[in-house]
Amino acid sequence: MKKVDHKRMPLFQILKQFSAEQPLSFHVPGHKNGTLFPDEPYKYFEQILKIDMTELPGLDDLHAPSEAIAEAEYYASDFFQSDHTFFLVGGSTAGNLAMILASCSPGDKVIVQRNSHKSIMNGLELSGAKPVFIAPEYDETVGRYTNPSIAVLDEALRQHSDAKALLLTYPDYFGKIYPIKEMIEKAHAYHIPVLVDEAHGVHFSLGSPFPESALDLGADVVVQSAHKMAPAMTMASFLHIKSKFIRKERIAHFLQMIQSSSPSYPLIASLDIARSFLAILTTEEIKAIMESVSNVRKILQATTYGKLLPADDPLKITFHVKHGLSVKEVAKLFEAENIYPELVTHNQILFIHGLAPFKQEEALKKTVKSVEERLKNHTNHATIEIAELFSQPIQELALSYQVMNAQSYTRVPFIEGIGHIAAEAVIPYPPGIPFIVKGEIITAAHIEAIEQLRQQGIRIQQREEGIRIY
């Protein structure tokens, strides 16, 4: 095995070299190396267009890599300590779909964490698998659903020992972790592979003070959104495989089906850059990041309109808004000062600290004080109770995907859907976790929670009012 110099970025460097030779384009893309582009946006796109190439000699092919992309993936595999690392240009969504399709066939049982991202649910439907959902527990200390318990997983494995995979999300959107290693070991005892949506944990491979990656803890396939926490372009993600149960070739087969046949070279190169960045980050640099996190937390703690929650991932800073205040109103006051948080739920605001010291502390202090002043004469708002949303610890769909896809549906107001089978998912976005999944029976608790969320201004990702039912 050759020695890896993680300062090198083989794909980025060959693109840079190729561009420097000022090649003449008689090929796609149509902007012709940036020479054909409207004047006004050109100043923003100029540099990136020069490396927005196609599968030319020497630039390799994402779907059959043997040159620079293969070398870049090898470097990534070395850093993340995987058997193989695939580069994704379709976000973690593409990775989640591929790992599910590679693991099961129509009718196969798959044990699934119920509060998973919509891409997991879409992968299940595309595969035709039979999901067995395990419900997350409501954690009073953080005011939200987190992860399934070991006891619920034990029972699901006992009842469904013939499952073809266990699908988990780790960490959650807020950076909270749980004893996933124990869950992995329990599934492996049944010879069941474990697939993990680790979209928010690409930096876990840095080690302390960050949590351990599911890949290091024994998971078979782990998908990470490099763009969420590392310096990669939006949609750029990794899929790592380290398994005796799932073949690399099956993952590759489905990735070439799911991903574009004309993948973006700037996105691929940004994954090469992100790996190098993570690999050469020094202890001193990480220490400076942690000092910055501490300073930001101190600034946000100096308020009366909420409190900060403890964090497993220090880069995730969760602000729990005081009862009676509108979370949406608080977030809008921050946005009015040009400070945009990552996520606003019915009771919390998530701020994500980057992998570099935050340099606008004075602006943040000023905003925190401004929000404090403007909330003095606030109007109390009703609180939302969602602690009974997932009432069944282990749940199967009322209809299989095959049956549902052959049936007709009708659209009704939300309230009229109670007791019927949902023909579509209902998804607050972000975080993209369905409150109702396609194929489950709609309950009064579902509808009450959705209506309360809508009243608070939380966006439900849908094109039309109401809900489809069978």
Side-chain angles (χ1 to χ4, degrees), residues 11 84 94 152 158 177 209 239 241-242 262 287 390 426 455 469:
L11 179 57
H84 186 82
V152 167
R158 188 189 67 78
I177 63 169
L239 183 152
I241 182 169
K242 194 173 186 178
S262 302
K287 182 180 178 181
F390 305 122
V426 178
Q455 290 171 18
I469 59 169

Side-chain angles (χ1 to χ4, degrees), residues 49-317:
L49 291 173
K50 292 177 181 178
I51 62 168
D52 184 27
M53 299 293 182
T54 189
E55 290 85 353
L56 300 173
L59 298 187
D60 213 353
D61 179 349
L62 179 66
H63 299 302
S66 61
E67 300 174 288
I69 295 175
E71 186 177 7
E73 288 188 340
Y74 176 83
Y75 277 36
S77 179
D78 178 83
F79 171 67
F80 290 104
Q81 292 295 287
S82 65
D83 290 344
H84 186 82
T85 291
F86 291 93
F87 284 6
L88 311 177
V89 294
S92 283
T93 291
N96 287 342
L97 297 179
M99 71 180 181
I100 293 171
L101 291 167
S103 306
C104 59
S105 301
D108 284 344
K109 290 181 184 177
V110 181
I111 300 173
V112 188
Q113 182 174 334
R114 173 59 182 80
N115 57 332
S116 294
H117 189 263
K118 65 175 185 173
S119 59
I120 295 292
M121 306 303 175
N122 292 338
L124 294 170
E125 183 171 353
L126 285 173
S127 71
K130 184 180 179 182
V132 177
F133 293 113
I134 50 176
E137 294 193 314
Y138 189 81
D139 188 338
E140 295 285 355
T141 64
V142 294
R144 62 177 184 269
Y145 286 96
T146 53
N147 54 273
S149 68
I150 296 289
V152 167
L153 175 61
D154 270 336
E155 182 59 23
L157 289 169
R158 188 189 67 78
Q159 292 181 20
H160 305 282
S161 60
D162 56 342
K164 298 299 182 182
L166 168 63
L167 280 163
L168 297 172
T169 300
Y170 172 96
D172 71 6
Y173 209 117
F174 299 84
K176 185 171 177 56
I177 63 169
Y178 56 92
I180 192 172
K181 182 177 182 180
E182 185 177 352
M183 292 186 173
I184 292 168
E185 290 171 349
K186 286 180 178 293
H188 282 173
Y190 287 88
H191 304 286
I192 296 173
V194 181
L195 318 178
V196 180
D197 177 357
E198 194 173 275
H200 289 265
V202 70
H203 56 303
F204 286 9
S205 295
L206 292 170
S208 181
F210 305 107
E212 289 183 272
S213 169
L215 188 69
D216 297 326
L217 296 173
D220 296 87
V221 183
V222 174
V223 176
Q224 298 171 333
S225 294
H227 65 93
K228 282 184 165 59
M229 303 303 295
M233 293 179 69
T234 297
M235 291 171 55
S237 302
F238 295 115
L239 183 152
H240 312 292
I241 182 169
K242 194 173 186 178
S243 177
K244 63 181 180 180
F245 299 111
I246 299 173
R247 291 166 52 201
K248 165 191 165 185
E249 292 76 16
R250 280 187 62 80
I251 296 283
H253 170 69
F254 286 107
L255 281 177
Q256 61 84 25
M257 291 177 66
I258 292 164
Q259 300 206 99
S260 171
S261 59
S262 302
S264 163
Y265 272 81
L267 263 66
I268 305 170
S270 77
L271 286 167
D272 197 18
I273 294 164
R275 177 272 313 158
S276 177
F277 173 87
L278 293 170
I280 66 175
L281 203 62
T282 66
T283 302
E284 291 74 21
E285 287 171 326
I286 293 174
K287 182 180 178 181
I289 293 166
M290 296 307 298
E291 288 174 354
S292 176
V293 168
S294 178
N295 291 338
V296 170
R297 289 185 66 90
K298 286 176 183 176
I299 293 169
L300 290 170
Q301 280 173 336
T303 67
T304 61
Y305 47 88
K307 64 179 181 179
L308 292 185
L309 298 181
D312 294 319
D313 176 1
L315 300 185
K316 296 296 182 73
I317 303 173

